[in-house]
């Protein structure tokens, strides 16, 4: 980069379990080690490095082929000033596997943070967040796998907390984040029954848990889970109709809310990491593209379908570039 005075990029691709995430961390560690020092530079390095355990906690999960599989795409740009000193950076995320929040294949796990929170929270936090063992939550007990060999969820939770401190999340922000995570888990425990083709909530206790954690009125939340509002316009007149949902529609609405909450929480974390790394200095960048690997599940979500397509296209590009280089 310094010799050619131009931006560079590293593209990491391969099937699930090939070592893409580890390779990306090695590259980031290497860049941090060989670049200069100083208090400001060290802060930028710390944020860049600590973004890994934070985003892995919320964006990685155990799959059949990989115990720490990235379930989101990530493009990290590290910006350098004159002399090769890191001055800032930016992370772009895409295709978070939201479907994993509400549906997990057997022998797999959902996102790490759910298990870290259940295992690593102290008694006070567990009481406040109304936490229990993972098998208590419907979203997690769809799989019989709750622990991963060689992984200490309680220890990893402490690393996640440390990463939150380094990127500058306040105590209140951390508290709100865990309220949302716990709220998503309890949301999956809300069950419905059908009476006269209309859905109704059968366990109001879990509804009250979610309402308390998300600071939403239980009556309002309950109404939104079993009904939707339709706006119709006839000429200049607008009519608003409230439609009561059936059982299947209510389950879909509950799951859609859980996925939307988690996806927005993940976007917020990426935004806060970027805020901690923002810089106005001009310079050159090294980009690192880390996408999650090619994998085929018993039930493939839209995100996995897209990333499999991307992996196939990248492989074609590699082959074309290799053949052209050989021809030259």
């Amino acid at each position: 980069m310094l010799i050619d005075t131009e931006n560079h990029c590293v593209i990491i691709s391969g099937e699930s379990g090939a070592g893409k995430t580890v390779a990306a961390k090695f590259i980031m560690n290497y860049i941090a080690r060989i670049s200069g020092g100083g208090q400001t530079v060290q802060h930028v390095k710390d944020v860049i490095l600590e973004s890994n355990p934070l985003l892995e906690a919320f964006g990685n999960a155990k799959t059949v082929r990989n115990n720490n599989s990235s379930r989101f795409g990530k493009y990290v740009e590290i910006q350098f000033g004159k002399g090769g000193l890191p001055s800032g950076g930016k992370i772009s995320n895409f295709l978070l596997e939201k479907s994993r929040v509400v549906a997990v294949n057997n022998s797999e796990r959902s996102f790490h943070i759910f298990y870290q929170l259940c295992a690593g929270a102290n008694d006070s936090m567990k009481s406040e967040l109304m936490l229990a063992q993972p098998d208590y939550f419907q979203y997690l007990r769809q799989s019989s796998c709750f622990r991963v060999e060689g992984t200490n969820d309680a220890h990893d939770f402490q690393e996640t907390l440390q990463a939150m401190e380094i990127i500058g999340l306040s105590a209140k922000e951390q508290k709100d984040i865990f309220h949302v995570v716990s709220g998503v888990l309890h949301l999956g425990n809300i069950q419905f029954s059908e009476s006269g083709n209309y859905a109704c909530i059968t366990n109001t206790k879990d509804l009250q848990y979610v309402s308390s954690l998300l600071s939403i009125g239980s009556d309002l939340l309950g109404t939104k889970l079993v009904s939707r509002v339709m706006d119709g316009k006839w000429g200049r007149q607008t009519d608003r109709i409230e439609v009561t949902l059936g059982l299947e529609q209510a389950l879909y609405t509950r799951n859609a809310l859980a996925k939307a909450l988690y996806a927005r929480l993940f976007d917020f974390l990426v935004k806060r990491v970027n805020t901690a790394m923002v810089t106005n200095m001009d310079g050159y960048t090294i980009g690192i593209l880390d996408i999650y690997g090619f994998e085929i599940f018993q039930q493939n979500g839209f995100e996995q379908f897209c990333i499999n397509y991307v992996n196939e296209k990248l492989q074609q590009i590699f082959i074309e570039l290799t053949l052209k280089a050989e021809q030259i």
Side-chain angles (χ1 to χ4, degrees):
M1 179 190 70
L2 294 176
I3 295 172
D4 299 333
T5 61
E6 61 181 16
N7 299 329
H8 285 259
C9 179
V10 180
I11 298 177
I12 306 174
S13 178
E15 63 181 359
S16 183
K20 297 180 299 301
T21 299
V22 174
K25 287 191 284 190
F26 281 164
I27 292 170
M28 293 167 72
N29 278 308
Y30 173 74
I31 292 174
R33 184 177 293 273
I34 66 169
S35 53
Q39 186 174 355
T40 304
V41 172
Q42 189 58 46
H43 172 71
V44 173
K45 290 181 181 181
D46 290 341
V47 173
I48 292 172
L49 295 179
E50 289 299 327
S51 67
N52 283 320
L54 178 61
L55 296 184
E56 282 185 12
F58 286 84
N60 286 25
K62 179 194 181 303
T63 64
V64 174
R65 302 179 62 176
N66 188 354
N67 288 344
N68 187 33
S69 176
S70 297
R71 309 314 301 165
F72 69 104
K74 177 175 66 174
Y75 181 62
V76 182
E77 284 183 295
I78 305 175
Q79 188 166 346
F80 298 85
K82 294 180 179 179
L85 297 179
S87 59
K90 180 182 178 182
I91 294 177
S92 302
N93 68 293
F94 52 92
L95 283 179
L96 175 70
E97 193 183 38
K98 301 186 295 290
S99 57
R100 184 167 291 268
V101 175
V102 301
V104 185
N105 292 326
N106 197 26
S107 74
E108 295 184 355
R109 297 206 312 179
S110 188
F111 294 104
H112 293 328
I113 189 61
F114 294 129
Y115 307 90
Q116 290 182 11
L117 190 58
C118 291
N122 57 36
D123 292 339
S124 175
M125 186 180 291
K126 285 182 178 179
S127 176
E128 180 183 350
L129 300 179
M130 292 162 277
L131 292 172
Q133 294 299 314
D135 58 2
Y136 171 78
F137 299 105
Q138 172 63 27
Y139 282 156
L140 303 185
R141 67 169 177 259
Q142 296 176 76
S143 169
S144 58
C145 179
F146 301 109
R147 293 181 177 84
V148 178
E149 185 178 353
T151 299
N152 187 329
D153 290 316
H155 177 268
D156 290 347
F157 182 64
Q158 296 305 314
E159 290 189 348
T160 301
L161 292 176
Q162 180 184 351
M164 287 181 167
E165 293 282 348
I166 290 176
I167 71 167
L169 287 169
S170 66
K172 183 182 183 306
E173 286 175 321
Q174 294 181 37
K175 178 180 177 181
D176 291 342
I177 288 169
F178 294 131
H179 271 243
V180 174
V181 173
S182 182
V184 168
L185 287 176
H186 283 287
L187 190 60
N189 282 4
I190 297 177
Q191 300 299 320
F192 305 90
S193 61
E194 196 167 39
S195 176
N197 293 327
Y198 297 137
C200 57
I201 297 173
T202 58
N203 50 344
T204 56
K205 184 174 75 170
D206 287 292
L207 176 66
Q208 291 171 353
Y209 285 164
V210 178
S211 301
S212 175
L213 289 165
L214 301 181
S215 300
I216 303 173
S218 59
D219 292 339
L220 175 61
L221 179 60
T223 299
K224 292 302 180 181
L225 288 175
V226 296
S227 66
R228 72 172 183 268
V229 175
M230 297 180 62
D231 289 331
K233 191 170 184 179
W234 304 93
R236 296 183 178 179
Q237 183 179 355
T238 301
D239 293 328
R240 173 164 287 194
I241 305 171
E242 187 169 307
V243 180
T244 304
L245 304 177
L247 177 60
E248 185 176 349
Q249 292 173 317
L251 290 171
Y252 178 85
T253 300
R254 180 200 68 185
N255 291 343
L257 176 58
K259 290 188 289 185
L261 282 170
Y262 195 84
R264 294 194 179 194
L265 174 61
F266 191 80
D267 288 340
F268 168 77
L269 291 172
V270 173
K271 181 179 179 181
R272 285 307 308 270
V273 172
N274 286 334
T275 300
M277 294 192 298
V278 68
T279 179
N280 295 321
M281 293 178 58
D282 294 329
Y284 299 104
T285 62
I286 293 180
I288 304 170
L289 176 64
D290 178 18
I291 62 176
Y292 55 100
F294 189 97
E295 197 158 351
I296 298 177
F297 299 109
Q298 190 172 358
Q299 294 181 336
N300 290 282
F302 174 72
E303 299 93 347
Q304 187 66 46
F305 170 81
C306 290
I307 211 68
N308 283 352
Y309 177 76
V310 171
N311 275 301
E312 291 284 4
K313 296 297 288 186
L314 281 174
Q315 193 64 31
Q316 288 181 10
I317 292 172
F318 290 151
I319 291 173
E320 289 176 5
L321 291 176
T322 302
L323 289 176
K324 288 180 179 178
E326 289 295 327
Q327 288 172 348
I328 293 174

